[in-house]
Amino acid sequence: MQISLQRDGARGEPPVYRQIAAQIRAEIAAERLSAGARLPPIRELARRLRVNRDTVALAYEELARAGVVEATVGRGTFVTGVAGRRERAAFDPRLSPLAERLLELERARPRFGSAQQAVPMHALIPDPALYPVDAFRRALSRVFQRHGAELLVYGAPQGLPRMREALAGWLRGAGIGIGADEVVLCHGVSQGIALALRLFTEAGDCVALEEPTYNNALSAVSGLGLKPVAVPMREDGLDLAALDRVLARSEVKVLYTIPTFHNPMGISTSLAHRNALLEIAARNEKPVVEDAYEMDLRIDGQPVPPLAALDRSGLVVHLSSFSKSLFPGVRVGGVAARGRLVDALLALKQATDLSGALPLQAALAELIECGAYQRHLASLRRELRQRRDALLEALERHMPPGARWTRPEGGYQVWVELPDGIDTSELLPDAVAAGVLFAPGAQYHHDGRASRCLRLSFAIADAEALRRGVKILGEVIRRRGTVAARRADRVLI
Amino acid sequence: MQISLQRDGARGEPPVYRQIAAQIRAEIAAERLSAGARLPPIRELARRLRVNRDTVALAYEELARAGVVEATVGRGTFVTGVAGRRERAAFDPRLSPLAERLLELERARPRFGSAQQAVPMHALIPDPALYPVDAFRRALSRVFQRHGAELLVYGAPQGLPRMREALAGWLRGAGIGIGADEVVLCHGVSQGIALALRLFTEAGDCVALEEPTYNNALSAVSGLGLKPVAVPMREDGLDLAALDRVLARSEVKVLYTIPTFHNPMGISTSLAHRNALLEIAARNEKPVVEDAYEMDLRIDGQPVPPLAALDRSGLVVHLSSFSKSLFPGVRVGGVAARGRLVDALLALKQATDLSGALPLQAALAELIECGAYQRHLASLRRELRQRRDALLEALERHMPPGARWTRPEGGYQVWVELPDGIDTSELLPDAVAAGVLFAPGAQYHHDGRASRCLRLSFAIADAEALRRGVKILGEVIRRRGTVAARRADRVLI
């Protein structure tokens, strides 16, 4: 048993007896001291550690009070095993059905293993090599110098006024005529999705969703005890006739949609489609949650106003994010809404986690105000255009006949439909082994059913890696096709 | 209409036509341009701004696409009012019953107005004058220099390993034999409460709660659609016989309790009480959520192990916080649990907001590892002892006969019971007017019923201010008593 003591009280260390107790506990927790083991006699340990015997006695007493050791007069002090982890599992907790459902969803996520060398086309994580880290560090430092402790109190649940001003200004630039008082900051758009859905739903209610759709939105829906009602996606966006039928159902309370650079499909809907969608929602008196998480990542084509900019009746709740256009670590998203919805969002946010992290909100506002965010976006878009073009060219070259894919005007993802008969979840292990990662389509289905589609991301991998990755993917698909054909042959024979 | 343009493309500004469009939108949003107003002719605005006429035409086209303006051939371009805020409210959103309930709770919160001069004894916000701001700023800067972009990706839902190690080590020091893999970091203990409750409950289930209890826990329970079942607090903690009866009910899924420096009462339960509570929970097979938010703020008396340290069967989910012992702005709390509960917590955290803010987690770990947190705690505790003693002395001097109060051994709050016949919610406006703020007891009741109790906080106000505040409070209570007595007289006559 190794115990090392810090005796310099000025450094704010705990008293020596607590240090001793803590380290004995750590030994037990780490299973280096197991149940039944005898602790050294007080006198002996005191001598070894060069402390007073009372100090060791105090440590042992504290351990005994905690039930971690037991002293038997004349025999010594023994580890009870209470603090050991294995012995603790006597209680078998009955998890809520909801928690069980989420555990199942987690288990269903594809595993990519630790494929360090593989081309990472599976995730929508912006490339860390492109983050303006120094600008952000300097912004953080500046706001701390200027505001100090003000940034370390509880913020208002609505978020830092300066960041709300910056976001509202940004959204006005995109055509959403909104004021800072109509914006609620949230912990990433993922929290925004939950807050927005909870405005209109309670456990048991239904939510209309695109299919395929963002897998974490599906988790959020499950996590809230809501039921997803899938509306199929076509090549130009949601099937509007199907949407009309779904929104007419009284148990469907709200639509969640990603009109711009859809996840996972990468497509962006037309102005006409957006106006038609809003007309359907208004006629059915159903609110719309617009997830505009990649809105700032247009790399070509004509910008189309977000739903919130076209909304004439205040039925759109608009979610914005900086996780894709800057970096996820800033953890600041925004929910823009109208009137009573803002008050209700604030009450929900307050009941959820009181307030956001003001230092990060302040530093982000600083980045936007000083133009660093805009500069970053300009160079990010240039890089993205190269990557997307490289990816599309490589697909042209390496995909088998019968495969189709989307041609996004922005964002990070291309949706590939493979020829019939291939389940992309089954394809994944081969791809991982061959050195390329992708996101199989099944996880974007509300019921997780098999899919012959997959999502390729050009977020992390550069043009060079994307070409390599698609080439490998093409080979994996062809091999699979051959095997499938052979199997089919055998069946025929 | 004022329009100013940035033409230095290198700074990453949006194209000039979008700048024009955005500023016209801002004018409309700010109601300086109202529905029906005519925009300047393209030719005229182009001349004024010294831009090409096509640029203005593009801006107007974008505004027209967004429905913000309408062009009528030969007459000009007019504001439609779509972007105006007032005109938007046509949609009357049907909020979920849950959102409505939370709005009601928000409305019931006491209003303190902008009583800048009043002695702030109402809130448990640590005194910003005591925050180690510079140490934190330096820690942030150091971790950024060391880790850079690594801190700006999505973190694992469980939180930064380094911070989990630091927290697990800290908890082991308090007797909880736990490893870093059994800790899930969360966005403040408020998020931790929701995560922990959701492990065991779904909408409609019941939660056993102390009464009085932390008002934001009541909000969280409401926010999750759960029903609070109140177990009365006595002077030595929860009424254990009542607890046993409540936990025996099958619809009650979990107990939420604050054994150390209870909010709002300030009391800490004995070792015997804790062991008895755990025995009752184990016998009824009900898990316990232990909120240990002020655990690190003991200022005298003998430390008592947290429930999680005494727990022999793994039924305690332990919540820890740095919001009270350091500052709220760090927004890092911890949930410690066992086995399957950890997996379920991770699934819930993932579905809630993907991941925490790594820069803040890293900076906090740095503060703990370098000893700055411990040094801060030592000086904070010294200051708190002075404040508490000043507050208790002042109560002795200024409270009317028949008033009683708790004598906390740590934390920030004293619970005062006034003589019968006083409703402290009614007393509050007088107190605010006289220059002292307190937290009326009603908000700590699950049903918001009237209370003759109030919570006084020594978190923000220093010893001097506390003496002044309690003196004023004494006067306000006495005046109230006289008025009440006079009213009673009148009734008698």
Side-chain angles (χ1 to χ4, degrees):
Chain A
M1 191 167 67
Q2 285 290 333
I3 292 183
S4 71
L5 301 176
Q6 302 292 332
R7 294 160 209 249
D8 179 4
R11 283 200 60 219
E13 297 294 337
V16 168
Y17 82 95
R18 300 199 72 182
Q19 294 183 43
I20 297 171
Q23 288 180 59
I24 292 175
R25 270 201 192 99
E27 294 286 305
I28 298 171
E31 300 180 277
R32 284 187 293 267
L33 268 182
S34 48
R38 186 161 175 267
L39 295 187
I42 289 174
R43 184 190 308 250
E44 187 195 308
L45 187 57
R47 203 178 48 235
R48 264 172 51 197
L49 299 174
R50 293 195 211 128
V51 298
N52 194 295
R53 273 152 58 185
D54 285 349
T55 304
V56 176
L58 262 171
Y60 282 17
E61 267 172 39
E62 181 175 296
L63 292 169
R65 258 199 318 275
V68 170
V69 301
E70 235 163 6
T72 315
V73 179
R75 290 188 51 232
T77 306
F78 297 85
V79 176
T80 58
V82 168
R85 300 193 217 158
R86 299 279 155 74
E87 286 76 2
R88 292 251 198 171
F91 176 69
D92 184 24
R94 221 163 309 156
L95 292 178
S96 69
L98 185 148
E100 293 285 4
R101 209 154 50 232
L102 286 176
L103 272 176
E104 234 168 80
L105 273 175
E106 276 307 303
R107 272 191 295 265
R109 272 180 201 270
R111 304 279 166 233
F112 298 101
S114 54
Q116 295 289 339
Q117 301 305 315
V119 180
M121 297 165 65
H122 59 309
L124 297 192
I125 303 167
D127 187 347
L130 305 176
Y131 300 173
V133 180
D134 278 338
F136 190 66
R137 189 174 54 79
R138 282 196 304 270
L140 258 177
S141 187
R142 276 201 303 276
V143 297
F144 262 111
Q145 257 149 8
R146 210 176 308 141
H147 302 289
E150 281 171 48
L151 296 177
L152 297 173
V153 293
Y154 289 105
Q158 191 156 8
L160 200 70
R162 188 178 162 204
M163 180 57 216
R164 288 191 284 112
E165 287 287 357
L167 180 54
W170 191 257
L171 293 177
R172 282 196 299 269
I176 305 172
I178 205 147
D181 52 335
E182 293 166 306
V183 168
V184 178
L185 301 182
C186 55
H187 186 82
V189 89
S190 45
Q191 182 181 57
I193 294 173
L195 291 174
L197 293 178
R198 289 170 71 198
L199 281 174
F200 309 109
T201 61
E202 277 197 328
D205 286 340
C206 293
V207 178
L209 290 166
E210 289 147 354
E211 180 148 274
T213 193
Y214 178 39
N215 51 336
N216 287 319
L218 289 170
S219 299
V221 165
S222 271
L224 296 170
L226 305 173
K227 292 177 208 142
V229 179
V231 183
M233 283 292 283
R234 306 192 320 176
E235 277 174 27
D236 62 346
L238 266 175
D239 178 332
L240 292 170
L243 176 66
D244 203 1
R245 286 191 300 275
V246 165
L247 289 190
R249 289 162 53 183
S250 68
E251 70 275 21
V252 175
K253 304 297 184 192
V254 57
L255 165 67
Y256 168 82
T257 179
I258 315 174
T260 307
F261 314 137
H262 180 267
N263 189 359
M265 291 182 70
I267 61 172
S268 199
T269 62
S270 68
L271 181 61
H273 189 280
R274 291 176 190 214
N275 280 324
L277 182 149
L278 287 175
E279 187 276 320
I280 291 167
R283 184 155 37 74
N284 288 288
E285 296 188 335
K286 295 292 159 68
V288 175
V289 176
E290 174 182 35
D291 187 343
Y293 75 118
E294 281 180 346
M295 185 178 75
D296 290 344
L297 292 182
R298 176 166 289 280
I299 52 186
D300 56 21
Q302 195 58 26
V304 187
L307 291 174
L310 303 170
D311 172 24
R312 288 166 190 257
S313 42
L315 47 72
V316 174
V317 177
H318 180 270
L319 306 179
S320 47
S321 171
F322 294 87
S323 294
K324 306 302 181 191
S325 56
L326 189 60
F327 38 69
V330 68
R331 302 275 73 206
V332 175
V335 190
R338 308 283 171 178
R340 248 163 71 76
L341 294 183
V342 179
D343 298 329
L345 278 169
L346 288 178
L348 280 164
K349 174 73 179 162
Q350 163 95 21
T352 303
D353 60 9
L354 300 185
S355 85
L358 301 187
L360 301 180
Q361 294 178 3
L364 177 56
E366 180 89 6
L367 273 197
I368 295 173
E369 285 168 15
C370 77
Y373 176 59
Q374 292 82 334
R375 281 193 299 277
H376 167 70
L377 266 187
S379 74
L380 177 61
R381 287 190 191 119
R382 274 194 301 277
E383 174 65 26
L384 279 189
R385 190 176 299 121
Q386 285 183 13
R387 292 185 181 189
R388 183 207 49 186
D389 293 347
L391 175 56
L392 292 179
E393 279 167 33
L395 286 170
E396 211 62 71
R397 182 169 310 174
H398 299 295
M399 281 300 103
R404 305 190 309 164
W405 52 91
T406 57
R407 282 163 183 79
E409 295 180 335
Y412 286 125
Q413 61 277 7
V414 168
W415 184 243
V416 181
E417 185 183 308
L418 296 182
D420 208 5
I422 296 182
D423 175 346
T424 52
S425 295
E426 288 184 5
L427 196 67
L428 184 62
D430 294 358
V432 174
V436 61
L437 309 182
F438 64 79
Q443 64 183 315
Y444 308 105
H445 286 160
H446 74 287
D447 52 6
R449 70 179 186 284
S451 166
R452 59 165 152 159
C453 298
L454 56 89
R455 188 191 71 185
L456 294 181
S457 156
F458 46 99
I460 317 178
D462 62 17
E464 180 50 40
L466 290 166
R467 286 188 202 102
R468 202 170 63 241
V470 173
K471 182 160 184 280
I472 299 172
L473 182 61
E475 288 158 9
V476 170
I477 295 170
R478 254 187 305 276
R479 258 202 324 267
R480 189 84 183 182
T482 318
V483 172
R486 255 193 242 131
R487 277 206 204 120
D489 280 354
R490 230 177 286 161
V491 172
L492 283 175
I493 296 168
Chain B
M1 191 167 68
Q2 286 290 331
I3 291 183
S4 71
L5 302 176
Q6 302 292 332
R7 295 161 208 247
D8 179 4
R11 282 200 63 219
E13 296 294 338
V16 168
Y17 82 95
R18 299 199 71 183
Q19 293 184 43
I20 297 172
Q23 287 179 60
I24 293 175
R25 270 202 192 97
E27 293 287 304
I28 298 170
E31 300 180 282
R32 283 187 294 268
L33 267 181
S34 48
R38 185 161 176 268
L39 295 187
I42 288 174
R43 183 190 306 252
E44 186 196 310
L45 188 57
R47 201 178 51 234
R48 264 172 53 196
L49 298 175
R50 293 192 212 131
V51 298
N52 194 296
R53 273 153 58 184
D54 285 348
T55 305
V56 176
L58 263 171
Y60 282 17
E61 266 172 40
E62 179 174 298
L63 291 169
R65 258 199 318 275
V68 171
V69 301
E70 236 163 3
T72 315
V73 179
R75 289 187 54 231
T77 306
F78 297 84
V79 176
T80 59
V82 168
R85 300 195 218 156
R86 299 280 155 76
E87 287 77 1
R88 292 251 197 169
F91 176 68
D92 184 22
R94 221 162 309 153
L95 293 178
S96 69
L98 185 149
E100 293 284 4
R101 210 156 48 233
L102 286 176
L103 273 175
E104 233 169 79
L105 272 174
E106 276 306 304
R107 274 191 293 267
R109 273 180 200 268
R111 303 281 166 231
F112 298 102
S114 53
Q116 296 289 338
Q117 300 305 313
V119 180
M121 296 164 66
H122 60 309
L124 297 192
I125 302 167
D127 187 348
L130 305 176
Y131 298 173
V133 179
D134 278 338
F136 190 65
R137 189 173 54 79
R138 281 194 307 270
L140 258 177
S141 187
R142 275 201 304 273
V143 296
F144 263 112
Q145 258 148 7
R146 210 175 308 141
H147 302 288
E150 281 171 49
L151 296 177
L152 296 173
V153 293
Y154 290 104
Q158 192 157 6
L160 199 71
R162 187 177 164 206
M163 180 57 216
R164 289 191 283 112
E165 287 288 355
L167 180 54
W170 191 257
L171 293 176
R172 283 197 297 271
I176 305 173
I178 205 146
D181 53 334
E182 293 166 306
V183 168
V184 178
L185 301 182
C186 55
H187 186 82
V189 89
S190 45
Q191 183 181 59
I193 293 173
L195 291 174
L197 292 178
R198 289 170 71 198
L199 281 175
F200 309 109
T201 62
E202 278 197 326
D205 286 338
C206 294
V207 179
L209 291 165
E210 290 148 352
E211 180 148 274
T213 193
Y214 177 39
N215 50 336
N216 287 321
L218 289 170
S219 300
V221 164
S222 272
L224 296 171
L226 305 173
K227 293 176 207 143
V229 179
V231 183
M233 284 291 283
R234 305 192 320 175
E235 278 174 25
D236 61 347
L238 266 175
D239 179 332
L240 292 171
L243 176 67
D244 203 359
R245 286 191 300 275
V246 165
L247 289 190
R249 290 163 52 183
S250 67
E251 69 274 23
V252 175
K253 303 297 184 192
V254 55
L255 165 67
Y256 168 81
T257 178
I258 315 172
T260 307
F261 314 137
H262 180 268
N263 188 0
M265 291 182 71
I267 61 172
S268 200
T269 61
S270 68
L271 181 61
H273 189 281
R274 291 176 189 213
N275 280 324
L277 183 150
L278 287 175
E279 188 276 320
I280 291 167
R283 184 154 37 72
N284 289 288
E285 296 187 336
K286 296 292 159 70
V288 176
V289 176
E290 174 182 35
D291 187 344
Y293 75 119
E294 282 181 346
M295 185 179 75
D296 290 344
L297 293 181
R298 176 167 290 279
I299 52 186
D300 57 20
Q302 195 58 27
V304 187
L307 291 173
L310 302 170
D311 171 23
R312 286 166 192 259
S313 42
L315 48 71
V316 174
V317 177
H318 180 270
L319 307 178
S320 48
S321 171
F322 294 87
S323 294
K324 307 301 180 189
S325 54
L326 189 60
F327 38 69
V330 69
R331 303 273 74 205
V332 175
V335 190
R338 307 282 169 178
R340 249 164 70 77
L341 294 183
V342 179
D343 299 328
L345 278 169
L346 287 178
L348 281 164
K349 174 72 179 163
Q350 164 94 20
T352 303
D353 60 10
L354 299 186
S355 84
L358 300 187
L360 301 179
Q361 294 177 3
L364 177 55
E366 179 90 5
L367 273 197
I368 295 173
E369 286 167 16
C370 77
Y373 177 60
Q374 293 81 335
R375 281 193 297 278
H376 166 70
L377 266 188
S379 75
L380 177 61
R381 287 191 190 117
R382 275 194 300 277
E383 175 65 25
L384 278 190
R385 190 178 297 119
Q386 285 185 14
R387 292 185 181 190
R388 183 206 51 185
D389 293 347
L391 175 55
L392 293 178
E393 278 167 34
L395 287 169
E396 210 62 70
R397 184 169 307 175
H398 299 295
M399 282 298 105
R404 304 189 312 163
W405 52 90
T406 56
R407 282 165 184 76
E409 294 180 336
Y412 285 126
Q413 61 277 7
V414 168
W415 184 244
V416 181
E417 186 183 307
L418 296 181
D420 208 4
I422 296 182
D423 174 346
T424 52
S425 295
E426 289 184 4
L427 195 68
L428 184 62
D430 294 359
V432 174
V436 62
L437 309 182
F438 63 80
Q443 65 182 315
Y444 306 106
H445 286 159
H446 74 287
D447 52 6
R449 69 178 187 286
S451 167
R452 59 165 152 158
C453 298
L454 56 90
R455 188 190 71 184
L456 295 181
S457 156
F458 47 99
I460 318 177
D462 63 16
E464 179 51 38
L466 290 166
R467 286 187 202 102
R468 200 168 66 242
V470 173
K471 184 161 183 282
I472 298 171
L473 181 61
E475 286 159 9
V476 170
I477 296 169
R478 253 188 304 278
R479 260 204 318 271
R480 190 84 183 184
T482 319
V483 173
R486 255 193 240 130
R487 277 205 203 122
D489 280 356
R490 232 177 283 160
V491 171
L492 284 176
I493 292 165

